[in-house]
Amino acid sequence: MTIQWFPGHMAKARRQVTEKIKLIDIVFELVDARIPMSSRNPMIDEIVSSKPRIVLLNKADKADDSITKQWIEYFKEQDIPAIAIDAQSGTGLKQITALSKVLLKEKFDKMAAKGIKPRAIRALIIGIPNVGKSTLINRLAKRNITKTGDRPGVTTAQQWVKVGNELELLDTPGILWPKFEDQLVGQKLATTGAIKDTILNLQEVTVFALNFLKEHYPKRLLERYNLNEIPEEIVPLFDEIGKKRGCMVSGGYIDYDKTSELILREIRTDKLGKLSFETPADFQDK
Ligand code: G4P
């Protein structure tokens, strides 16, 4: 789902998230494992500063495993525990409660010492649109919840959903805006399918994706499109793929929109294998 974010929406979204954070013990920050930095809210550290946090690298089934490991280390170095998960299949979800218990042990021990009756850990799932928040809530809660909270500005009554006996979640996630003013971030979000194609120029996004694959995954590109070699320039590469896949218009010209759609669809549906579009090294000194 695509949301057009305006300053008023952003302020409201932030207010709503801040209100929700007051109710919980721990924040689960959901990001896309393929682009963990580009799929974060730019103000996240400030917004959740008052509560412990776990970063959940979701859609790990679509990301390059070795790079996901690097990301887990990266977050660990920043004192933020991170777990790779796949909310759709449920992989990795068991670790969430276990790790939350560890992080909140001191708080709950203190509560027990004061004679406060033990209760479930309360958590909030937070993230930009399309990172898998609803999928994760549904998976954890083992039920189907409609996406009523998916528009900033929509107020609904807060409800808790139980995850076993030891954890409960707010049933509507905290939705925050992406770092959309950065063009590279926009291209990565579009390549992975997090933002709708209509917002960005389809061919420009594909040029970004092809250049990225050329540099980081040349073998996959060669194999998928049955190429003998990868042309230096991007236009001949486009032409070659378009020709091979029959994306032509009359007169023997390449249909660049059709070729772009095909390439992006194949990237998003993992036809080129598990891909990560950024590594911690890209963010050194930043
Ligand atoms: P949101 O609430 O954060 O906005 O995200 P939502 O749960 O709606 O998930 C967005 C899309 O991502 C959904 O696909 C969902 O099935 C998919 N998804 C969520 N978690 C995972 C995961 O761990 N692995 C994989 N492979 N996919 C996941 P969709 O309904 O088909 O939407 P779209 O892909 O057409 O945008």
mmCIF file of all heavy atoms in Angstrom, residues 130-171:
data_model
loop_
_atom_site.group_PDB
_atom_site.id
_atom_site.type_symbol
_atom_site.label_atom_id
_atom_site.label_comp_id
_atom_site.label_asym_id
_atom_site.label_seq_id
_atom_site.Cartn_x
_atom_site.Cartn_y
_atom_site.Cartn_z
ATOM 1 N N ASN A 130 4.589 -1.515 4.084
ATOM 2 C CA ASN A 130 5.009 -2.657 3.249
ATOM 3 C C ASN A 130 6.168 -3.504 3.754
ATOM 4 O O ASN A 130 6.638 -4.382 3.043
ATOM 5 C CB ASN A 130 5.355 -2.197 1.823
ATOM 6 C CG ASN A 130 4.153 -2.307 0.943
ATOM 7 O OD1 ASN A 130 3.468 -3.326 0.958
ATOM 8 N ND2 ASN A 130 3.861 -1.268 0.215
ATOM 9 N N VAL A 131 6.663 -3.229 4.944
ATOM 10 C CA VAL A 131 7.764 -4.067 5.448
ATOM 11 C C VAL A 131 7.256 -5.383 6.027
ATOM 12 O O VAL A 131 8.046 -6.255 6.363
ATOM 13 C CB VAL A 131 8.651 -3.349 6.500
ATOM 14 C CG1 VAL A 131 9.545 -2.313 5.847
ATOM 15 C CG2 VAL A 131 7.844 -2.758 7.618
ATOM 16 N N GLY A 132 5.930 -5.497 6.160
ATOM 17 C CA GLY A 132 5.362 -6.769 6.618
ATOM 18 C C GLY A 132 4.751 -6.715 8.015
ATOM 19 O O GLY A 132 4.582 -7.754 8.661
ATOM 20 N N LYS A 133 4.379 -5.529 8.463
ATOM 21 C CA LYS A 133 3.847 -5.384 9.834
ATOM 22 C C LYS A 133 2.566 -6.196 10.046
ATOM 23 O O LYS A 133 2.450 -6.917 11.023
ATOM 24 C CB LYS A 133 3.585 -3.891 10.143
ATOM 25 C CG LYS A 133 4.831 -3.024 10.092
ATOM 26 C CD LYS A 133 4.540 -1.568 10.376
ATOM 27 C CE LYS A 133 3.632 -0.903 9.380
ATOM 28 N NZ LYS A 133 4.175 -0.889 8.005
ATOM 29 N N SER A 134 1.611 -6.047 9.110
ATOM 30 C CA SER A 134 0.341 -6.776 9.274
ATOM 31 C C SER A 134 0.568 -8.278 9.182
ATOM 32 O O SER A 134 -0.019 -9.051 9.951
ATOM 33 C CB SER A 134 -0.655 -6.380 8.182
ATOM 34 O OG SER A 134 -0.756 -5.003 8.122
ATOM 35 N N THR A 135 1.425 -8.673 8.260
ATOM 36 C CA THR A 135 1.734 -10.103 8.102
ATOM 37 C C THR A 135 2.301 -10.648 9.408
ATOM 38 O O THR A 135 1.917 -11.732 9.863
ATOM 39 C CB THR A 135 2.766 -10.303 6.967
ATOM 40 O OG1 THR A 135 2.289 -9.635 5.805
ATOM 41 C CG2 THR A 135 2.996 -11.774 6.655
ATOM 42 N N LEU A 136 3.193 -9.889 10.025
ATOM 43 C CA LEU A 136 3.811 -10.350 11.266
ATOM 44 C C LEU A 136 2.797 -10.421 12.412
ATOM 45 O O LEU A 136 2.765 -11.420 13.148
ATOM 46 C CB LEU A 136 4.978 -9.428 11.654
ATOM 47 C CG LEU A 136 5.706 -9.805 12.934
ATOM 48 C CD1 LEU A 136 6.321 -11.200 12.849
ATOM 49 C CD2 LEU A 136 6.787 -8.786 13.283
ATOM 50 N N ILE A 137 1.956 -9.403 12.529
ATOM 51 C CA ILE A 137 0.943 -9.431 13.596
ATOM 52 C C ILE A 137 0.036 -10.647 13.405
ATOM 53 O O ILE A 137 -0.230 -11.400 14.337
ATOM 54 C CB ILE A 137 0.122 -8.114 13.631
ATOM 55 C CG1 ILE A 137 1.029 -6.932 14.018
ATOM 56 C CG2 ILE A 137 -1.052 -8.227 14.611
ATOM 57 C CD1 ILE A 137 0.357 -5.572 13.953
ATOM 58 N N ASN A 138 -0.409 -10.845 12.167
ATOM 59 C CA ASN A 138 -1.277 -11.987 11.888
ATOM 60 C C ASN A 138 -0.607 -13.318 12.216
ATOM 61 O O ASN A 138 -1.219 -14.207 12.790
ATOM 62 C CB ASN A 138 -1.704 -11.987 10.419
ATOM 63 C CG ASN A 138 -2.739 -10.922 10.138
ATOM 64 O OD1 ASN A 138 -3.437 -10.467 11.043
ATOM 65 N ND2 ASN A 138 -2.838 -10.508 8.895
ATOM 66 N N ARG A 139 0.639 -13.432 11.832
ATOM 67 C CA ARG A 139 1.404 -14.663 12.085
ATOM 68 C C ARG A 139 1.549 -14.924 13.583
ATOM 69 O O ARG A 139 1.324 -16.028 14.073
ATOM 70 C CB ARG A 139 2.807 -14.514 11.502
ATOM 71 C CG ARG A 139 3.071 -15.296 10.275
ATOM 72 C CD ARG A 139 3.178 -16.772 10.565
ATOM 73 N NE ARG A 139 2.837 -17.476 9.343
ATOM 74 C CZ ARG A 139 2.839 -18.785 9.232
ATOM 75 N NH1 ARG A 139 3.152 -19.554 10.258
ATOM 76 N NH2 ARG A 139 2.498 -19.353 8.115
ATOM 77 N N LEU A 140 1.971 -13.876 14.278
ATOM 78 C CA LEU A 140 2.200 -14.035 15.717
ATOM 79 C C LEU A 140 0.887 -14.314 16.443
ATOM 80 O O LEU A 140 0.826 -15.143 17.345
ATOM 81 C CB LEU A 140 2.858 -12.777 16.303
ATOM 82 C CG LEU A 140 4.331 -12.555 15.959
ATOM 83 C CD1 LEU A 140 4.788 -11.170 16.404
ATOM 84 C CD2 LEU A 140 5.216 -13.620 16.613
ATOM 85 N N ALA A 141 -0.148 -13.614 16.027
ATOM 86 C CA ALA A 141 -1.436 -13.758 16.712
ATOM 87 C C ALA A 141 -2.223 -14.952 16.188
ATOM 88 O O ALA A 141 -3.274 -15.281 16.720
ATOM 89 C CB ALA A 141 -2.235 -12.481 16.538
ATOM 90 N N LYS A 142 -1.719 -15.552 15.134
ATOM 91 C CA LYS A 142 -2.380 -16.694 14.480
ATOM 92 C C LYS A 142 -3.823 -16.366 14.108
ATOM 93 O O LYS A 142 -4.753 -17.121 14.327
ATOM 94 C CB LYS A 142 -2.337 -17.928 15.387
ATOM 95 C CG LYS A 142 -0.934 -18.410 15.681
ATOM 96 C CD LYS A 142 -0.967 -19.765 16.336
ATOM 97 C CE LYS A 142 0.400 -20.366 16.503
ATOM 98 N NZ LYS A 142 1.235 -19.784 17.532
ATOM 99 N N ARG A 143 -4.033 -15.170 13.581
ATOM 100 C CA ARG A 143 -5.372 -14.819 13.102
ATOM 101 C C ARG A 143 -5.266 -13.731 12.037
ATOM 102 O O ARG A 143 -4.187 -13.211 11.746
ATOM 103 C CB ARG A 143 -6.266 -14.362 14.241
ATOM 104 C CG ARG A 143 -5.815 -13.050 14.870
ATOM 105 C CD ARG A 143 -6.775 -12.656 15.953
ATOM 106 N NE ARG A 143 -7.014 -11.225 15.885
ATOM 107 C CZ ARG A 143 -7.395 -10.509 16.928
ATOM 108 N NH1 ARG A 143 -7.599 -11.062 18.100
ATOM 109 N NH2 ARG A 143 -7.597 -9.206 16.820
ATOM 110 N N ASN A 144 -6.412 -13.417 11.470
ATOM 111 C CA ASN A 144 -6.439 -12.435 10.396
ATOM 112 C C ASN A 144 -6.975 -11.097 10.882
ATOM 113 O O ASN A 144 -8.104 -10.989 11.300
ATOM 114 C CB ASN A 144 -7.339 -12.956 9.279
ATOM 115 C CG ASN A 144 -6.552 -13.123 8.007
ATOM 116 O OD1 ASN A 144 -5.379 -12.715 7.928
ATOM 117 N ND2 ASN A 144 -7.192 -13.689 7.006
ATOM 118 N N ILE A 145 -6.131 -10.105 10.811
ATOM 119 C CA ILE A 145 -6.561 -8.787 11.268
ATOM 120 C C ILE A 145 -6.590 -7.866 10.057
ATOM 121 O O ILE A 145 -5.671 -7.860 9.254
ATOM 122 C CB ILE A 145 -5.567 -8.239 12.313
ATOM 123 C CG1 ILE A 145 -5.569 -9.128 13.552
ATOM 124 C CG2 ILE A 145 -5.909 -6.798 12.688
ATOM 125 C CD1 ILE A 145 -4.358 -8.954 14.426
ATOM 126 N N THR A 146 -7.643 -7.109 9.921
ATOM 127 C CA THR A 146 -7.705 -6.191 8.783
ATOM 128 C C THR A 146 -6.737 -5.040 9.014
ATOM 129 O O THR A 146 -6.357 -4.742 10.133
ATOM 130 C CB THR A 146 -9.133 -5.629 8.612
ATOM 131 O OG1 THR A 146 -9.567 -5.212 9.886
ATOM 132 C CG2 THR A 146 -10.057 -6.667 8.028
ATOM 133 N N LYS A 147 -6.359 -4.411 7.895
ATOM 134 C CA LYS A 147 -5.318 -3.390 8.004
ATOM 135 C C LYS A 147 -5.897 -2.009 8.301
ATOM 136 O O LYS A 147 -5.602 -1.043 7.615
ATOM 137 C CB LYS A 147 -4.510 -3.362 6.715
ATOM 138 C CG LYS A 147 -3.675 -4.610 6.524
ATOM 139 C CD LYS A 147 -2.970 -4.609 5.202
ATOM 140 C CE LYS A 147 -1.779 -3.705 5.215
ATOM 141 N NZ LYS A 147 -0.956 -3.823 4.014
ATOM 142 N N THR A 148 -6.722 -1.912 9.342
ATOM 143 C CA THR A 148 -7.371 -0.631 9.643
ATOM 144 C C THR A 148 -6.378 0.449 10.051
ATOM 145 O O THR A 148 -6.630 1.613 9.838
ATOM 146 C CB THR A 148 -8.386 -0.779 10.785
ATOM 147 O OG1 THR A 148 -7.786 -1.572 11.796
ATOM 148 C CG2 THR A 148 -9.678 -1.393 10.325
ATOM 149 N N GLY A 149 -5.290 0.026 10.616
ATOM 150 C CA GLY A 149 -4.350 1.025 11.114
ATOM 151 C C GLY A 149 -3.364 1.478 10.063
ATOM 152 O O GLY A 149 -2.417 2.182 10.369
ATOM 153 N N ASP A 150 -3.614 1.115 8.820
ATOM 154 C CA ASP A 150 -2.569 1.341 7.824
ATOM 155 C C ASP A 150 -2.583 2.721 7.179
ATOM 156 O O ASP A 150 -1.877 2.967 6.240
ATOM 157 C CB ASP A 150 -2.644 0.265 6.741
ATOM 158 C CG ASP A 150 -1.245 -0.138 6.301
ATOM 159 O OD1 ASP A 150 -0.300 0.211 7.009
ATOM 160 O OD2 ASP A 150 -1.119 -0.765 5.256
ATOM 161 N N ARG A 151 -3.408 3.603 7.702
ATOM 162 C CA ARG A 151 -3.362 4.968 7.181
ATOM 163 C C ARG A 151 -3.074 5.914 8.333
ATOM 164 O O ARG A 151 -3.726 5.847 9.370
ATOM 165 C CB ARG A 151 -4.712 5.350 6.561
ATOM 166 C CG ARG A 151 -4.789 5.029 5.100
ATOM 167 C CD ARG A 151 -6.180 5.238 4.582
ATOM 168 N NE ARG A 151 -7.106 4.257 5.132
ATOM 169 C CZ ARG A 151 -8.386 4.508 5.366
ATOM 170 N NH1 ARG A 151 -8.890 5.691 5.144
ATOM 171 N NH2 ARG A 151 -9.169 3.567 5.852
ATOM 172 N N PRO A 152 -2.088 6.797 8.145
ATOM 173 C CA PRO A 152 -1.843 7.724 9.233
ATOM 174 C C PRO A 152 -3.092 8.576 9.404
ATOM 175 O O PRO A 152 -3.718 8.971 8.436
ATOM 176 C CB PRO A 152 -0.664 8.567 8.722
ATOM 177 C CG PRO A 152 -0.604 8.347 7.263
ATOM 178 C CD PRO A 152 -1.264 7.048 6.960
ATOM 179 N N GLY A 153 -3.456 8.812 10.596
ATOM 180 C CA GLY A 153 -4.625 9.649 10.815
ATOM 181 C C GLY A 153 -5.868 8.850 11.150
ATOM 182 O O GLY A 153 -6.863 9.406 11.594
ATOM 183 N N VAL A 154 -5.827 7.540 10.947
ATOM 184 C CA VAL A 154 -6.989 6.712 11.292
ATOM 185 C C VAL A 154 -6.855 6.291 12.755
ATOM 186 O O VAL A 154 -5.878 5.662 13.132
ATOM 187 C CB VAL A 154 -7.067 5.445 10.403
ATOM 188 C CG1 VAL A 154 -8.223 4.561 10.816
ATOM 189 C CG2 VAL A 154 -7.185 5.841 8.943
ATOM 190 N N THR A 155 -7.838 6.691 13.519
ATOM 191 C CA THR A 155 -7.769 6.341 14.943
ATOM 192 C C THR A 155 -8.703 5.178 15.217
ATOM 193 O O THR A 155 -9.875 5.225 14.873
ATOM 194 C CB THR A 155 -8.163 7.544 15.827
ATOM 195 O OG1 THR A 155 -7.526 8.689 15.292
ATOM 196 C CG2 THR A 155 -7.739 7.339 17.257
ATOM 197 N N THR A 156 -8.184 4.140 15.818
ATOM 198 C CA THR A 156 -9.029 3.018 16.205
ATOM 199 C C THR A 156 -8.736 2.696 17.672
ATOM 200 O O THR A 156 -7.690 3.061 18.175
ATOM 201 C CB THR A 156 -8.712 1.763 15.354
ATOM 202 O OG1 THR A 156 -7.299 1.598 15.318
ATOM 203 C CG2 THR A 156 -9.247 1.864 13.945
ATOM 204 N N ALA A 157 -9.661 2.026 18.307
ATOM 205 C CA ALA A 157 -9.439 1.662 19.707
ATOM 206 C C ALA A 157 -8.264 0.698 19.796
ATOM 207 O O ALA A 157 -8.123 -0.182 18.956
ATOM 208 C CB ALA A 157 -10.691 1.014 20.260
ATOM 209 N N GLN A 158 -7.424 0.905 20.799
ATOM 210 C CA GLN A 158 -6.272 0.015 20.960
ATOM 211 C C GLN A 158 -6.731 -1.324 21.523
ATOM 212 O O GLN A 158 -7.511 -1.364 22.448
ATOM 213 C CB GLN A 158 -5.257 0.614 21.949
ATOM 214 C CG GLN A 158 -4.759 1.982 21.565
ATOM 215 C CD GLN A 158 -3.835 1.931 20.367
ATOM 216 O OE1 GLN A 158 -3.491 0.870 19.889
ATOM 217 N NE2 GLN A 158 -3.465 3.081 19.867
ATOM 218 N N GLN A 159 -6.233 -2.380 20.922
ATOM 219 C CA GLN A 159 -6.529 -3.704 21.471
ATOM 220 C C GLN A 159 -5.249 -4.496 21.549
ATOM 221 O O GLN A 159 -4.350 -4.277 20.753
ATOM 222 C CB GLN A 159 -7.514 -4.427 20.555
ATOM 223 C CG GLN A 159 -8.931 -3.932 20.734
ATOM 224 C CD GLN A 159 -9.882 -4.742 19.897
ATOM 225 O OE1 GLN A 159 -9.682 -5.940 19.700
ATOM 226 N NE2 GLN A 159 -10.911 -4.097 19.407
ATOM 227 N N TRP A 160 -5.228 -5.422 22.485
ATOM 228 C CA TRP A 160 -4.048 -6.268 22.619
ATOM 229 C C TRP A 160 -4.329 -7.624 21.995
ATOM 230 O O TRP A 160 -5.419 -8.157 22.134
ATOM 231 C CB TRP A 160 -3.710 -6.454 24.106
ATOM 232 C CG TRP A 160 -3.343 -5.157 24.774
ATOM 233 C CD1 TRP A 160 -4.174 -4.374 25.531
ATOM 234 C CD2 TRP A 160 -2.082 -4.492 24.742
ATOM 235 N NE1 TRP A 160 -3.500 -3.265 25.962
ATOM 236 C CE2 TRP A 160 -2.208 -3.315 25.503
ATOM 237 C CE3 TRP A 160 -0.851 -4.762 24.139
ATOM 238 C CZ2 TRP A 160 -1.164 -2.409 25.677
ATOM 239 C CZ3 TRP A 160 0.193 -3.876 24.317
ATOM 240 C CH2 TRP A 160 0.040 -2.711 25.070
ATOM 241 N N VAL A 161 -3.352 -8.148 21.291
ATOM 242 C CA VAL A 161 -3.487 -9.519 20.801
ATOM 243 C C VAL A 161 -2.444 -10.379 21.489
ATOM 244 O O VAL A 161 -1.291 -9.984 21.628
ATOM 245 C CB VAL A 161 -3.361 -9.640 19.258
ATOM 246 C CG1 VAL A 161 -4.576 -9.067 18.561
ATOM 247 C CG2 VAL A 161 -2.107 -8.976 18.739
ATOM 248 N N LYS A 162 -2.886 -11.553 21.923
ATOM 249 C CA LYS A 162 -1.985 -12.430 22.676
ATOM 250 C C LYS A 162 -1.084 -13.241 21.754
ATOM 251 O O LYS A 162 -1.513 -13.730 20.721
ATOM 252 C CB LYS A 162 -2.805 -13.405 23.529
ATOM 253 C CG LYS A 162 -3.363 -12.775 24.790
ATOM 254 C CD LYS A 162 -3.474 -13.802 25.912
ATOM 255 C CE LYS A 162 -3.338 -13.199 27.299
ATOM 256 N NZ LYS A 162 -2.024 -12.669 27.624
ATOM 257 N N VAL A 163 0.174 -13.355 22.150
ATOM 258 C CA VAL A 163 1.119 -14.227 21.438
ATOM 259 C C VAL A 163 1.621 -15.213 22.493
ATOM 260 O O VAL A 163 2.524 -14.894 23.253
ATOM 261 C CB VAL A 163 2.307 -13.427 20.866
ATOM 262 C CG1 VAL A 163 3.214 -14.326 20.039
ATOM 263 C CG2 VAL A 163 1.839 -12.235 20.057
ATOM 264 N N GLY A 164 1.000 -16.356 22.572
ATOM 265 C CA GLY A 164 1.306 -17.274 23.670
ATOM 266 C C GLY A 164 0.900 -16.615 24.990
ATOM 267 O O GLY A 164 0.039 -15.727 25.010
ATOM 268 N N ASN A 165 1.555 -17.025 26.074
ATOM 269 C CA ASN A 165 1.184 -16.462 27.378
ATOM 270 C C ASN A 165 2.092 -15.318 27.803
ATOM 271 O O ASN A 165 1.787 -14.583 28.718
ATOM 272 C CB ASN A 165 1.262 -17.549 28.463
ATOM 273 C CG ASN A 165 0.192 -18.588 28.247
ATOM 274 O OD1 ASN A 165 -0.918 -18.258 27.822
ATOM 275 N ND2 ASN A 165 0.532 -19.849 28.499
ATOM 276 N N GLU A 166 3.224 -15.205 27.101
ATOM 277 C CA GLU A 166 4.238 -14.302 27.631
ATOM 278 C C GLU A 166 4.368 -12.975 26.891
ATOM 279 O O GLU A 166 5.099 -12.099 27.313
ATOM 280 C CB GLU A 166 5.596 -15.021 27.608
ATOM 281 C CG GLU A 166 5.604 -16.213 28.533
ATOM 282 C CD GLU A 166 6.886 -17.004 28.414
ATOM 283 O OE1 GLU A 166 7.214 -17.428 27.286
ATOM 284 O OE2 GLU A 166 7.553 -17.171 29.427
ATOM 285 N N LEU A 167 3.652 -12.847 25.791
ATOM 286 C CA LEU A 167 3.789 -11.637 24.977
ATOM 287 C C LEU A 167 2.425 -11.181 24.498
ATOM 288 O O LEU A 167 1.570 -11.996 24.167
ATOM 289 C CB LEU A 167 4.692 -11.946 23.768
ATOM 290 C CG LEU A 167 5.007 -10.821 22.790
ATOM 291 C CD1 LEU A 167 5.890 -9.754 23.428
ATOM 292 C CD2 LEU A 167 5.715 -11.374 21.536
ATOM 293 N N GLU A 168 2.213 -9.862 24.488
ATOM 294 C CA GLU A 168 1.035 -9.342 23.795
ATOM 295 C C GLU A 168 1.404 -8.114 22.990
ATOM 296 O O GLU A 168 2.284 -7.341 23.364
ATOM 297 C CB GLU A 168 -0.154 -9.102 24.740
ATOM 298 C CG GLU A 168 0.112 -8.308 25.976
ATOM 299 C CD GLU A 168 -1.044 -8.382 26.971
ATOM 300 O OE1 GLU A 168 -1.786 -9.381 27.000
ATOM 301 O OE2 GLU A 168 -1.183 -7.413 27.741
ATOM 302 N N LEU A 169 0.703 -7.980 21.861
ATOM 303 C CA LEU A 169 1.019 -6.917 20.905
ATOM 304 C C LEU A 169 -0.147 -5.960 20.795
ATOM 305 O O LEU A 169 -1.295 -6.381 20.870
ATOM 306 C CB LEU A 169 1.158 -7.511 19.498
ATOM 307 C CG LEU A 169 2.269 -8.452 19.140
ATOM 308 C CD1 LEU A 169 2.021 -8.974 17.726
ATOM 309 C CD2 LEU A 169 3.596 -7.703 19.177
ATOM 310 N N LEU A 170 0.160 -4.697 20.518
ATOM 311 C CA LEU A 170 -0.918 -3.796 20.114
ATOM 312 C C LEU A 170 -1.374 -4.254 18.734
ATOM 313 O O LEU A 170 -0.552 -4.560 17.881
ATOM 314 C CB LEU A 170 -0.407 -2.356 20.046
ATOM 315 C CG LEU A 170 -0.469 -1.556 21.345
ATOM 316 C CD1 LEU A 170 0.016 -0.131 21.115
ATOM 317 C CD2 LEU A 170 -1.877 -1.529 21.932
ATOM 318 N N ASP A 171 -2.675 -4.328 18.515
ATOM 319 C CA ASP A 171 -3.158 -4.964 17.276
ATOM 320 C C ASP A 171 -2.978 -4.096 16.037
ATOM 321 O O ASP A 171 -3.067 -4.591 14.915
ATOM 322 C CB ASP A 171 -4.611 -5.428 17.418
ATOM 323 C CG ASP A 171 -5.583 -4.276 17.459
ATOM 324 O OD1 ASP A 171 -5.132 -3.131 17.690
ATOM 325 O OD2 ASP A 171 -6.788 -4.511 17.268
#
